[in-house]
Amino acid sequence: MLSLPMDGSALLTGRLWEEDVLGGTVTFLPLEEDADRSVRIQTSNVYQIRLSRSQQEWFMSVSIVCPEHWHADGVVHPTPTWLGEILLARLARWAVGNRPSGFKSTLSLVPIARYSQVYEELKEKYRPMVKVWPEVTDPAKFVFEDVAIATYLLVLWEQERARLGVTERQSFVDLGCGNGLLAHILCSQGHPGRGIDVRRRGIWAMFEAETRLEEGAITPDDRSLFPDADWLIGNHSDELTPWIPVIAARSSYRCRFFVLPCCFFGFVGKYPRRQSQKTQYREYLDFVTEVGQVCGFRVEEDCLRIPSTKRVCLIGASRTYPAAQEAAVDTQRTQYIHSQGGPRGPLQDHKPGPQHASAEPAAPEDPAPVSRDTQTTEAQSAAPEGLAMGAELEPVSRDTRATEAQPTAPEDPAAGAARGLWLPAFQPRERAERVRNCGTLPRDFVNQVVLQVAGLLLGRKHVCPEGASQDQSGKPWNPGGSLSLADVASELDRVTLQRLKRECGGLQTLLRNRHQVFAVRDGRVHLRDWREELSTRATRPGLRRVPDTDAFKTRPCWFFAHHPDGCALPAAHCPFAHGPGELRPAPTRTSRRAGQPPQPVPPESPNSWPEKS
């Protein structure tokens, strides 16, 4: 049992590590607390990183003390795959790299010890939610990410109250609150507030007894002001992200903002790149920072400790001008917005309301905000260092999977002006998500594309080791060749390509969705060889590359029905049905949406078991 850090080690909440500088090792010892609040080492999850040298070369390795008892959740405790394949590669890259990252160090604006303490408390409190998560999104990712963001805000606000000498907890509004968990955690910790999103989520039913969550679109106009809120939050708020500093500035002189940008939106539509010397992410962060500065905020940047590749937040906690200058600064805001906005109608002036007039004047601080021409940020192409464990995520909006909410059809700028929009060309998102993952394409159309692409691959020469082109019974089996996605697209007719382009991801998404038939790797398409899939599963049982046991033989085997040589696997080993006689009923699954009854899994149509093409 350990209660105090040992010499040569450091103790944080939930983890102990021991450094051996001369030996070149760091040993990580996760801690667990029993019912008597005694802290013990969780021996099953101890691992060590070693740096060694042989002649002129340096070597880095990672070892697990008890691999047979290793428990990993991919978030709190790393997986062996992440340690061996991702962590080592990153450590080697950081060790030899000499470029500055261009981003602040992680948690630079809050005390790390206090953050760690609050995070551990909230993590234990909300850990059970992972097991009852009703949404279709990854519960471990979203629960622990929102816990980390809430922890950061709670510690940041705690510091602010101490600095101002007040005890009343800050109020907030979470704009584009998504699943509502962040707003729920903040409310549960005593902060009055609410969340607003254009679309209601099923999980809201779990929170509404304690948390105020509202369904509605936020548009940048005088009706979308929040004079009673201390803070506005934009967590992956997409098209609202650049507007949040503007809404905060016009809501009241005391209103502050926190944004965590993800997708790149300007004031109207997608953000257009302007500086090729920077990464798109770095350029967009600079753009949102500039918006905050033009709105009169002193904008600070920090990196959060979350499982996401987009983890840089921007904070506007103070103003650079006294309240008496609000009208002049707002004129500057209006001019800037319209200089960035694209097609627009009559300029809509915002008239500062009484919330600004009643604010107490403050002493002048910094000079007026700078413009884009005077802003200097070093161009970088590196991502923020220290990405969280297992973070291999695409920049998608919150709480979505294989869907993309699209703006409504373009509106006449004059109509937008009549509605009082600050920039009439702005389009809010549709209330209903439009599914664009090739899942709504007609089955006959999809089958036609699959057969055409498979025919192209079967016509390619395949170079393989001796005997690799035979099935398990020794009969010849043609695995086909490979083609780049561009080559495949060049073989499809124009009408088919145009129809696929209307779907997110287009041809690549359709082929990836047909994962029984195709494997898409490094931009090239192959026919999937199920002999290799089963062999990989046997050597690496942690991988899920074949259907679950409950789904065994619930879908027809495409290769049995369509491949000239049939299936490479015997019927007893193939996870898919070889003919109607093997087809089992699809299992019933528990609905992921709150309050809905279990739904049967729709089986893939056997397509009347057609003759082989």
Side-chain angles (χ1 to χ4, degrees):
M1 182 178 69
L2 295 175
S3 58
L4 293 174
M6 302 178 294
D7 293 337
S9 65
L11 180 62
L12 289 177
T13 304
R15 181 171 297 174
L16 179 86
W17 72 86
E18 185 173 9
E19 302 175 7
D20 182 356
V21 178
L22 296 179
T25 64
V26 179
T27 305
F28 293 87
L29 311 168
L31 305 178
E32 57 184 354
E33 189 177 64
D34 59 21
D36 299 329
R37 303 191 66 82
S38 298
V39 179
R40 303 176 184 275
I41 294 178
Q42 189 175 342
T43 56
S44 60
N45 280 65
V46 175
Y47 64 96
Q48 183 182 83
I49 299 174
R50 177 182 295 273
L51 179 67
S52 58
R53 186 175 185 178
S54 174
Q55 296 180 349
Q56 300 300 319
E57 294 183 311
W58 288 91
F59 296 90
M60 197 176 296
S61 62
V62 61
S63 58
I64 296 175
V65 177
C66 300
E68 66 277 8
H69 299 297
W70 185 268
H71 167 74
D73 56 17
V75 179
V76 180
H77 301 299
T79 63
T81 300
W82 184 87
L83 287 172
E85 298 180 4
I86 299 178
L87 176 63
L88 283 181
R90 288 178 180 167
L91 290 176
R93 185 172 66 249
W94 297 335
V96 300
N98 55 8
R99 275 188 316 196
S101 69
F103 297 90
K104 288 286 190 72
S105 59
T106 302
L107 306 180
S108 62
L109 300 181
V110 297
I112 295 180
R114 176 59 179 160
Y115 173 92
S116 300
Q117 178 186 1
V118 176
Y119 177 75
E120 290 295 328
E121 294 171 357
L122 293 180
K123 183 185 68 176
E124 291 303 317
K125 180 177 180 180
Y126 292 98
R127 184 190 299 275
M129 187 166 290
V130 173
K131 299 180 180 179
V132 297
W133 189 255
E135 298 293 304
V136 297
T137 49
D138 179 12
K141 192 267 183 186
F142 281 94
V143 170
F144 291 116
E145 179 173 320
D146 283 352
V147 165
I149 297 170
T151 300
Y152 186 89
L153 287 169
L154 291 171
V155 176
L156 185 74
W157 293 347
E158 188 178 87
Q159 287 187 117
E160 183 182 61
R161 293 196 301 273
R163 185 175 67 253
L164 298 177
V166 298
T167 58
E168 184 178 359
R169 295 182 184 267
Q170 295 90 333
S171 60
F172 72 91
V173 179
D174 186 356
L175 302 179
C177 64
N179 57 51
L181 179 57
L182 176 60
H184 175 67
I185 296 174
L186 296 176
C187 287
S188 299
Q189 296 302 117
H191 288 270
R194 55 186 168 131
I196 306 174
D197 199 277
V198 71
R199 181 173 59 87
R200 178 183 177 84
R201 307 301 202 272
I203 195 174
W204 286 10
M206 298 174 60
F207 305 145
E208 287 177 321
E210 306 173 14
T211 306
R212 181 180 170 187
L213 299 172
E214 302 173 3
E215 183 180 13
I218 301 296
T219 54
D221 55 39
D222 288 349
R223 297 171 298 178
S224 296
L225 297 177
F226 305 93
D228 297 329
D230 295 318
W231 283 80
L232 298 187
I233 299 172
N235 176 18
H236 295 182
S237 47
D238 296 339
E239 76 276 3
L240 285 178
T241 297
W243 285 106
I244 287 178
V246 183
I247 297 173
R250 289 177 168 175
S251 290
S252 72
Y253 184 77
R254 65 181 178 83
C255 189
R256 289 87 78 191
F257 75 86
F258 168 95
V259 293
L260 182 61
C262 179
C263 299
F264 309 132
F265 282 88
F267 287 115
V268 177
K270 293 289 187 178
Y271 174 76
R273 294 206 63 179
R274 300 168 184 173
Q275 300 185 29
S276 59
Q277 298 89 350
K278 301 180 181 180
T279 64
Q280 186 177 15
Y281 186 41
R282 178 70 266 175
E283 182 184 349
Y284 187 68
L285 291 171
D286 292 344
F287 164 66
V288 179
T289 297
E290 180 182 280
V291 173
Q293 291 173 337
V294 172
C295 288
F297 288 97
R298 182 179 293 103
V299 182
E300 297 179 280
E301 181 179 301
D302 203 357
C303 283
L304 303 185
R305 188 180 288 171
I306 58 176
S308 174
T309 57
K310 300 293 187 296
R311 61 192 192 96
V312 177
C313 68
L314 301 172
I315 301 167
S318 60
R319 305 290 178 102
T320 60
Y321 64 94
Q325 295 181 7
E326 175 59 36
V329 174
D330 194 67
T331 299
Q332 180 178 342
R333 293 183 198 123
T334 301
Q335 294 172 347
Y336 176 81
I337 291 169
H338 281 269
S339 73
Q340 302 286 320
R344 49 191 176 270
L347 184 144
Q348 298 297 302
D349 289 324
H350 162 75
K351 295 178 175 56
Q355 63 270 18
H356 289 96
S358 62
E360 296 182 3
E365 296 177 353
D366 292 348
V370 296
S371 65
R372 181 181 296 274
D373 294 334
T374 60
Q375 195 174 2
T376 57
T377 303
E378 185 175 15
Q380 300 296 336
S381 60
E385 63 182 41
L387 294 178
M389 293 183 297
E392 202 168 341
L393 309 171
E394 296 180 358
V396 297
S397 58
R398 300 179 69 198
D399 180 274
T400 62
R401 173 186 254 178
T403 58
E404 182 179 349
Q406 297 295 320
T408 56
E411 181 183 40
D412 182 2
R419 291 195 290 117
L421 290 175
W422 296 334
L423 195 62
F426 174 83
Q427 295 295 327
R429 291 211 165 183
E430 294 177 343
R431 176 163 296 181
E433 282 188 318
R434 184 184 305 171
V435 177
R436 298 179 63 211
N437 63 345
C438 297
T440 58
L441 290 172
R443 184 176 294 277
D444 290 343
F445 173 79
V446 174
N447 289 340
Q448 177 186 349
V449 175
V450 169
L451 287 172
Q452 186 173 354
V453 175
L456 293 172
L457 297 175
L458 287 171
R460 304 287 293 183
K461 292 183 179 180
H462 177 73
V463 180
C464 60
E466 183 67 25
S469 61
Q470 296 182 347
D471 66 14
Q472 293 188 358
S473 65
K475 296 184 302 181
W477 191 83
N478 180 14
S482 70
L483 286 170
S484 69
L485 288 167
D487 290 338
V488 173
S490 67
E491 297 291 337
L492 301 179
D493 62 85
R494 185 171 59 86
V495 175
T496 298
L497 286 177
Q498 288 179 344
R499 193 170 189 178
L500 289 172
K501 285 180 179 179
R502 291 195 291 267
E503 301 291 318
C504 293
L507 175 63
Q508 180 172 209
T509 296
L510 185 147
L511 298 178
R512 286 187 182 276
N513 287 351
R514 308 295 291 189
H515 51 79
Q516 183 195 155
V517 184
F518 301 110
V520 183
R521 305 187 189 97
D522 301 323
R524 300 190 67 83
V525 185
H526 314 254
L527 286 177
R528 189 174 295 279
D529 191 335
W530 282 93
R531 298 168 299 178
E532 297 178 0
E533 298 295 327
L534 296 183
S535 174
T536 301
R537 181 176 173 85
T539 57
R540 298 173 65 182
L543 296 179
R544 287 188 56 193
R545 293 182 180 268
V546 298
D548 294 332
T549 303
D550 291 342
F552 194 74
K553 300 290 186 181
T554 59
R555 288 180 290 169
C557 177
W558 184 92
F559 291 98
F560 176 82
H562 298 285
H563 193 286
D565 300 327
C567 182
L569 295 174
H573 294 164
C574 182
F576 304 99
H578 285 197
E582 290 188 5
L583 194 64
R584 298 172 54 232
T588 300
R589 66 185 176 197
T590 302
S591 172
R592 304 300 297 271
R593 300 288 182 185
Q596 292 186 1
Q599 302 292 329
V601 178
E604 182 178 326
S605 171
N607 201 20
S608 301
W609 300 94
E611 297 295 329
K612 294 179 174 59
S613 54

